[in-house]
Amino acid sequence: MSAEAVPGVKSLGMKPVTMATSSVDEFAGVLNGTYFGDKFDLTQAYGYVKYAGTMWTLAMARKYPDLKFVVMSPGNTKGTGAPDSLPAPMRFMLKYIMMPIVFPLLGEMVHSLEVGVKRFADGVSEDRYKSGVFYASKEDKLSGDVVDQSTFYTDLKNINYQDNAYEAIHRFIK
């Protein structure tokens, strides 16, 4: 599971994840929080952690070619409990202003819980979704059809970055 926060969403001011080297130590810093230092930003950290998990999964697909590893974003799915852990002002904005009013006005920026769940089910069960690929909404969107994110976010194709994420994660799960 990943998110459109990895390649970023320009129209919402979300920048793509960019790391200096995508080294093992950088990935480990993201996972233990030290990467962000005193400038911790919840939305930035979200994208970086999703990036680490995505790259780890892409590495797993190469290491275990007989298994299917599809990375799928549910998209911007209303009706989940995700906003409940946010600070009160952010939670209010997301639940009562952004999801029901602003995102629908922007087009292809929000969809139902059923659509988000269907993305996962399709990713696992349909042959058109290939192992070792991260699928999410089209560039600068949070809903609508899913596409291979590596077509516009090329870091996903870097097997060294994938292996570095794999190694960093395994520092924590030994």
Side-chain angles (χ1 to χ4, degrees):
M1 183 161 119
S2 194
E4 285 79 357
V6 173
V9 183
K10 291 178 203 168
S11 63
L12 298 178
M14 295 172 64
K15 296 177 182 173
V17 170
T18 54
M19 296 171 79
T21 63
S22 291
S23 68
V24 175
D25 288 336
E26 269 190 309
F27 277 112
V30 165
L31 298 170
N32 70 17
T34 60
Y35 178 84
F36 306 102
D38 295 336
K39 298 178 182 178
F40 183 82
D41 175 88
L42 183 65
T43 56
Q44 179 191 32
Y46 175 78
Y48 279 70
V49 169
K50 290 292 189 176
Y51 175 62
T54 297
M55 297 305 271
W56 174 80
T57 306
L58 299 179
M60 292 289 287
R62 286 186 301 100
K63 292 176 187 301
Y64 301 98
D66 294 338
L67 300 174
K68 185 175 182 180
F69 290 90
V70 173
V71 181
M72 180 69 73
S73 170
N76 194 19
T77 305
K78 60 184 172 183
T80 73
D84 296 344
S85 62
L86 296 173
M90 289 177 72
R91 182 174 57 244
F92 178 83
M93 282 292 293
L94 191 58
K95 288 177 85 167
Y96 301 107
I97 297 172
M98 298 301 290
M99 286 290 201
I101 300 168
V102 176
F103 287 144
L105 291 173
L106 295 174
E108 291 192 319
M109 295 304 253
V110 66
H111 53 239
S112 69
L113 185 60
E114 291 77 15
V115 170
V117 169
K118 186 173 181 345
R119 283 183 173 198
F120 287 133
D122 290 350
V124 171
S125 64
E126 292 190 11
D127 289 339
R128 66 183 165 135
Y129 297 109
K130 303 300 178 198
S131 187
V133 178
F134 168 27
Y135 296 96
S137 303
K138 294 177 184 174
E139 190 171 11
D140 205 33
K141 298 295 180 186
L142 293 172
S143 185
D145 294 336
V146 296
V147 298
D148 176 349
Q149 299 295 287
S150 72
T151 60
F152 55 88
Y153 185 69
T154 57
D155 281 5
L156 296 168
K157 295 179 183 178
N158 189 314
I159 61 172
N160 291 322
Y161 295 176
Q162 294 171 11
D163 289 342
N164 290 346
Y166 178 91
E167 189 175 326
I169 287 174
H170 283 267
R171 284 184 181 179
F172 296 95
I173 60 173
K174 286 185 179 181

